[in-house]
């Protein structure tokens, strides 16, 4: 699978841009703020229906404009397909597959697997559980359509139950008959989603540990400890017993939406006890494991987006990444860098087709 070209119209800082890409390595070069990462984000939109950085679609429209479009031509399993994204203020977002609009965005998820390694990845370690849930949910959703449907269904019933809890809290009156249908759905969906997450993590962990050893050369054991209410055999009883607290707080406090994936090194939390080098190695290993499992399960090499990694990694980790690229472990790559000569020097040792693009003030030109 590869992206042949892209057309942007009024997306972020680009007024009108078109680019033709190499099937192997593409490097976007320009100063910070020139729009390099915005190009990666446009590719992410085409593959995953949304931005990797700003989930409010209208905020990605060029300033003082009312819409944006992103269009790309892909080659997938020897077939040419066109994907187009249209976002217009006040209207529903559209994704079109070769001219035909999807009824639901979820129908597109998984068709074009993509993996991004970016500076903001440190938030997966440092921030709360929501980011880690979203990370693993995004991978499983690309591999398992029924899982995505379960998640959508769960969020629907959670939203409805929370609205009832707020109503009960403000009125001081509780109607169990109204609440019970939502209780049943959330309890059953929690158990189903838990099983799928637990099964996935056991498989994912093997790749993570392998890549961590290769990238870091360290001997510590890394783990992902999955914490979930769903594994509690007495979950249904505890869920219903939490009603009083739920009403006070006006939200559901037990369920799959409270899950966490705790990253550890040597048995201790990576967030507190991992050095900067260990955390960087873990994050790269995490993304490489994501790439590997998508590749193995789908039989397709995902597109790999590398945002500013040469600035964020030390020489050892850069060398390990380039070794993987040189061994053709990946398919199509898109790389950003603020220092053109550095990128050209690092990539000069790799026997692959390379294309460089200079970016300045929302304009893109081949090098």
């Amino acid at each position: 699978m590869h992206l042949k070209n892209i057309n942007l119209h009024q997306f972020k800082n680009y007024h009108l841009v078109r680019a033709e890409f190499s099937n192997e390595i593409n490097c976007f070069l320009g100063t910070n703020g020139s729009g390099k990462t915005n190009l990666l984000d446009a590719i992410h939109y085409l593959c995953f229906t949304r931005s990797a950085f700003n989930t409010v679609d209208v905020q990605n429209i060029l300033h003082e404009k009312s819409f944006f479009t992103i269009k790309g031509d892909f080659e997938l399993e020897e077939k040419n397909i066109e994907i187009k994204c249209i976002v217009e203020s006040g209207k529903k977002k559209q994704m079109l597959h070769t001219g035909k609009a999807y009824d639901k965005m979820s129908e597109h998820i998984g068709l074009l697997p993509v993996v991004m390694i970016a500076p903001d990845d440190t938030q997966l370690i440092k921030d709360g559980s929501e980011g880690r849930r979203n990370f693993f949910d995004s991978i499983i959703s690309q591999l398992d359509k029924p899982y995505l449907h379960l998640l959508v269904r769960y969020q629907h019933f959670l939203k409805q139950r929370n609205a009832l809890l707020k109503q009960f809290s403000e009125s001081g009156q509780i109607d169990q008959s109204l609440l019970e249908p939502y209780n049943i759905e959330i309890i059953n969906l929690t158990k189903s989603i838990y099983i799928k997450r637990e099964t996935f993590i056991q498989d994912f962990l093997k790749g993570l540990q392998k890549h961590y050893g290769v990238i870091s050369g360290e001997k510590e054991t890394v783990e992902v400890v999955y914490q979930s209410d769903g594994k509690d055999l007495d979950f249904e009883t505890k869920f219903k017993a939490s009603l009083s607290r739920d009403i006070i707080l006006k939200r559901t406090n037990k369920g799959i939406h409270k899950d966490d994936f705790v990253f550890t090194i040597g048995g201790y939390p990576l967030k507190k006890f991992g050095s900067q080098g260990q955390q960087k190695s873990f994050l790269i290993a995490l993304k490489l494991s994501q790439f590997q499992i998508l590749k193995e399960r789908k039989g397709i090499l995902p597109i790999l987006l590398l945002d500013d990694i040469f600035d964020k990694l030390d020489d050892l980790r850069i060398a390990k990444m380039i070794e993987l690229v040189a061994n053709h472990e990946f398919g199509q790559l898109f790389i950003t860098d603020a220092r053109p000569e550095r990128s050209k020097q690092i990539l000069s040792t790799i026997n692959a087709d390379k294309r460089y693009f200079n970016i300045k003030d929302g304009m893109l030109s081949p090098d």
Side-chain angles (χ1 to χ4, degrees):
M1 179 189 83
H2 65 272
L3 174 61
K4 299 162 67 174
N5 57 62
I6 198 167
N7 294 266
L8 308 182
H9 186 196
Q10 298 177 173
F11 178 71
K12 294 195 171 181
N13 70 320
Y14 292 98
H15 178 69
L16 194 63
V17 160
R18 175 180 171 83
E20 300 281 340
F21 298 129
S22 164
N23 295 356
E24 297 186 276
I25 299 175
N26 301 275
C27 198
F28 300 136
L29 308 170
T31 58
N32 292 330
S34 60
K36 303 185 301 296
T37 300
N38 292 344
L39 278 168
L40 297 189
D41 204 22
I43 298 170
H44 191 277
Y45 249 110
L46 291 177
C47 295
F48 213 71
T49 78
R50 60 177 172 80
S51 167
F53 305 102
N54 188 346
T55 56
V56 182
D57 292 310
V58 294
Q59 292 179 5
N60 295 307
I61 299 173
L62 181 66
H63 186 56
E64 294 185 347
K65 302 297 181 180
S66 61
F67 73 93
F68 76 72
T69 62
I70 308 170
K71 182 173 75 71
D73 292 309
F74 292 82
E75 184 174 306
L76 176 64
E77 298 177 329
E78 300 183 352
K79 294 181 180 179
N80 293 319
I81 62 172
E82 178 193 276
I83 302 298
K84 187 173 185 180
C85 175
I86 304 171
V87 170
E88 186 171 359
S89 297
K91 295 186 179 180
K92 184 180 179 181
K93 177 170 61 180
Q94 292 187 71
M95 292 291 296
L96 294 86
H97 182 306
T98 317
K100 184 178 180 181
Y102 288 108
D103 292 328
K104 298 178 180 178
M105 295 296 118
S106 60
E107 295 173 6
H108 183 66
I109 303 300
L111 177 68
L112 305 168
V114 62
V115 174
M116 176 179 279
I117 301 178
D120 285 348
D121 289 340
T122 54
Q123 295 174 357
L124 287 173
I125 293 174
K126 297 177 180 178
D127 288 358
S129 59
E130 183 179 2
R132 291 184 286 276
R133 283 197 304 275
N134 289 341
F135 171 73
F136 287 109
D137 282 344
S138 71
I139 305 174
I140 306 172
S141 295
Q142 292 185 73
L143 299 170
D144 186 345
K145 286 286 187 184
Y147 178 82
L148 181 55
H149 295 153
L150 288 174
L151 280 181
V152 171
R153 189 173 175 84
Y154 183 90
Q155 289 299 326
H156 169 75
F157 286 108
L158 181 65
K159 183 179 179 180
Q160 296 299 317
R161 187 177 192 270
N162 285 346
L164 269 180
L165 291 171
K166 184 178 180 181
Q167 180 182 320
F168 294 163
S169 178
E170 292 173 353
S171 68
Q173 297 179 341
I174 301 173
D175 188 338
Q176 289 280 10
S177 65
L178 290 177
L179 208 57
E180 189 59 21
Y182 301 112
N183 292 348
I184 293 170
E185 289 288 348
I186 290 176
I187 290 166
N188 291 336
L189 287 166
T190 289
K191 293 175 181 177
S192 298
I193 294 170
Y194 162 73
I195 291 170
K196 285 182 176 286
R197 284 179 177 172
E198 176 67 27
T199 302
F200 173 80
I201 282 296
Q202 295 307 315
D203 201 15
F204 183 87
L205 189 56
K206 299 171 187 175
L208 174 66
Q209 292 170 336
K210 172 188 170 184
H211 287 299
Y212 182 82
V214 170
I215 289 292
S216 68
E218 301 286 352
K219 296 180 180 179
E220 299 97 350
T221 300
V222 293
E223 299 276 353
V224 178
V225 180
Y226 176 34
Q227 299 176 342
S228 175
D229 290 333
K231 68 173 63 177
D232 193 334
L233 296 177
D234 206 21
F235 169 65
E236 182 173 348
T237 301
K238 292 181 178 179
F239 178 85
K240 292 181 177 179
S242 181
L243 178 58
S244 297
R245 184 166 181 261
D246 290 351
I247 292 173
I248 292 171
L249 297 176
K250 303 179 185 179
R251 64 177 183 270
T252 305
N253 289 279
K254 288 192 174 294
I256 211 73
H257 61 292
K258 306 297 286 187
D259 284 5
D260 197 1
F261 299 84
V262 180
F263 302 149
T264 68
I265 183 166
Y268 296 95
L270 182 67
K271 179 178 179 178
K272 293 182 179 179
F273 296 95
S275 67
Q276 284 192 354
Q278 288 169 331
Q279 291 184 5
K280 288 178 180 178
S281 294
F282 185 93
L283 287 168
I284 296 172
L286 194 73
K287 293 305 185 82
L288 293 180
S289 186
Q290 176 188 5
F291 184 94
Q292 178 183 323
I293 205 163
L294 287 171
K295 170 185 170 183
E296 291 176 351
R297 298 266 190 101
K298 298 190 74 66
I300 299 171
L301 284 169
I303 290 174
L304 183 59
L305 310 176
L306 304 178
D307 188 24
D308 201 23
I309 63 164
F310 297 150
D311 246 6
K312 305 302 178 184
L313 301 180
D314 56 33
D315 291 344
L316 172 64
R317 291 170 181 82
I318 289 174
K320 293 292 185 181
M321 283 291 297
I322 294 306
E323 182 181 335
L324 292 172
V325 174
N327 291 336
H328 299 280
E329 296 285 333
F330 308 119
Q332 190 178 29
L333 272 74
F334 293 87
I335 302 170
T336 68
D337 194 7
R339 293 165 56 188
E341 295 309 317
R342 173 178 58 184
S343 287
K344 292 177 181 179
Q345 180 181 357
I346 290 173
L347 297 174
S348 65
T349 59
I350 298 174
N351 182 24
D353 183 55
K354 297 178 281 286
R355 220 169 268 187
Y356 297 94
F357 300 87
N358 293 315
I359 300 172
K360 184 177 181 181
D361 299 327
M363 301 296 291
L364 182 149
S365 59
D367 189 286

